[in-house]
Amino acid sequence: MSEISSSKIICPQCGGENSIRADEKFLECEYCGSSVFIDKRRIVSHFVVNSNFTKEQAEGNLRRWMAGNYHVKDLDKLAQITQVSFYYFPLWYFKTKDPQGDRIHLQPAHSTPVSEIKNIQIPAGNLKPYHKSDFTDEVFVEADVLYDSAKSWLSQSGVNPDNISESSLVNVPFYHFYYLYKGQQYSALVEASSGMVYANIWPAKSEMPFKILFAAAILLFGLASIASFAVSFLISPDISAETVFFGEFIKIFAYILAAVPLTAIAYWIVKKV
Ligand SMILES: [Zn+2]
């Protein structure tokens, strides 16, 4: 059996015929200069998204994200960044034609712990043809998830593969931050064209204090009800409509009184946790 050492591929942009070695994955068309990625025998356009953020700016975005409401109190001040890496991560970019219009779907072309990565938004105008010579010093993560695997994941998530009108490979720039919080390691990605932060897990606010407070509130209001009717009964020991009415009357004030410490504790928890 002989190995084919060279073959011809047709450029998806201009239709020009290019020669390519069997093991080659990247090609710049000798006629129009556009960039092509070869996955097995499939040929797709290869794009790159430019980075607009420095490492310092990306870290600033990460700290602001950490200061947000979903994260544990003072995470932005206490998180200790241990490592930052910058790379261009490969994503399969599918455009589908639906009755509602065009839609973009992304699938990672390499394994990643941050599955949120496929929810990033890439405006079509940000896709630039990839030219190897422009990125000699940069890290490009290899696209090792095959096109067909990405397509089958897409159909598993409910997209009809027959509706795919366009596919390409896109390398998107990311700052990957690793940080320590209370001895635990976490990671987050800052997408370097938009500055958006993506993460799957982070030190979240604990819900336990709120659950305990809720249980305490039920108990306290229950006791306030019982106490109100007990007081009413002590004042007029004969059971009558008036006793019940007076009990209800006292209850209003008992509830207001009970609400004061509960509100104060809730406020304190929000500030502290
Ligand atoms: Zn071409």
Side-chain angles (χ1 to χ4, degrees):
M1 219 173 94
S2 64
E3 290 275 298
I4 302 159
S5 62
S6 166
S7 62
K8 304 259 184 241
I9 68 143
I10 303 295
C11 168
Q13 298 294 325
C14 73
E17 203 180 68
N18 291 263
S19 301
I20 184 163
R21 286 202 316 277
D23 58 342
E24 231 169 358
K25 280 193 149 184
F26 301 97
L27 177 85
E28 274 176 35
C29 172
E30 57 186 284
Y31 305 98
C32 72
S34 67
S35 191
V36 173
F37 181 77
I38 302 119
D39 170 6
K40 301 274 180 188
R41 286 168 55 220
R42 181 170 296 280
I43 299 145
V44 296
S45 293
H46 186 196
F47 297 109
V48 64
V49 173
N50 285 330
S51 169
N52 299 316
F53 284 77
T54 64
K55 192 167 112 180
E56 289 68 31
Q57 290 168 328
E59 186 178 331
N61 283 18
L62 178 67
R63 297 273 181 199
R64 274 189 290 282
W65 173 84
M66 285 171 165
N69 273 331
Y70 297 106
H71 312 126
V72 76
K73 172 94 177 150
D74 288 336
L75 178 62
D76 53 325
K77 295 178 193 84
L78 299 174
Q80 190 193 340
I81 292 169
T82 50
Q83 198 193 324
V84 191
S85 48
F86 178 76
Y87 51 70
Y88 287 83
F89 189 86
L91 292 157
W92 289 109
Y93 179 100
F94 298 96
K95 191 190 268 184
T96 55
K97 280 208 185 303
D98 298 328
Q100 297 88 346
D102 288 349
R103 283 186 62 198
I104 303 299
H105 309 269
L106 298 171
Q107 287 292 341
H110 187 89
S111 63
T112 169
V114 184
S115 62
E116 286 292 306
I117 209 166
K118 65 179 176 225
N119 297 325
I120 65 166
Q121 303 287 323
I122 307 176
N126 288 9
L127 298 177
K128 309 288 178 217
Y130 166 75
H131 295 296
K132 211 174 177 178
S133 54
D134 298 344
F135 298 95
T136 46
D137 301 330
E138 310 287 0
V139 175
F140 272 69
V141 176
E142 199 189 336
D144 54 12
V145 171
L146 296 177
Y147 174 85
D148 287 332
S149 316
K151 199 167 132 183
S152 73
W153 289 347
L154 199 64
S155 53
Q156 276 167 35
S157 67
V159 175
N160 182 352
D162 296 338
N163 291 345
I164 296 173
S165 62
E166 213 181 295
S167 332
S168 33
L169 183 72
V170 183
N171 275 93
V172 180
F174 285 98
Y175 288 96
H176 195 153
F177 287 90
Y178 293 87
Y179 62 93
L180 277 175
Y181 175 76
K182 291 192 173 166
Q184 279 276 93
Q185 173 141 290
Y186 298 87
S187 75
L189 294 173
V190 179
E191 197 267 285
S193 76
S194 67
M196 291 279 288
V197 179
Y198 297 88
N200 278 24
I201 47 167
W202 55 77
K205 273 188 198 294
S206 166
E207 288 181 4
M208 195 42 91
F210 292 100
K211 286 181 179 162
I212 293 168
L213 182 66
F214 185 66
I218 292 172
L219 189 71
L220 198 56
F221 283 115
L223 288 174
S225 295
I226 294 165
S228 303
F229 289 107
V231 168
S232 174
F233 183 74
L234 284 175
I235 293 167
S236 59
D238 54 320
I239 307 266
S240 66
E242 270 163 46
T243 315
V244 175
F245 180 78
F246 192 50
E248 291 287 352
F249 185 72
I250 298 170
K251 209 166 85 178
I252 296 168
F253 294 97
Y255 273 23
I256 292 168
L257 213 62
V260 172
L262 289 171
T263 310
I265 293 165
Y267 181 77
W268 182 83
I269 294 173
V270 168
K271 283 280 150 194
K272 278 284 170 188
V273 178

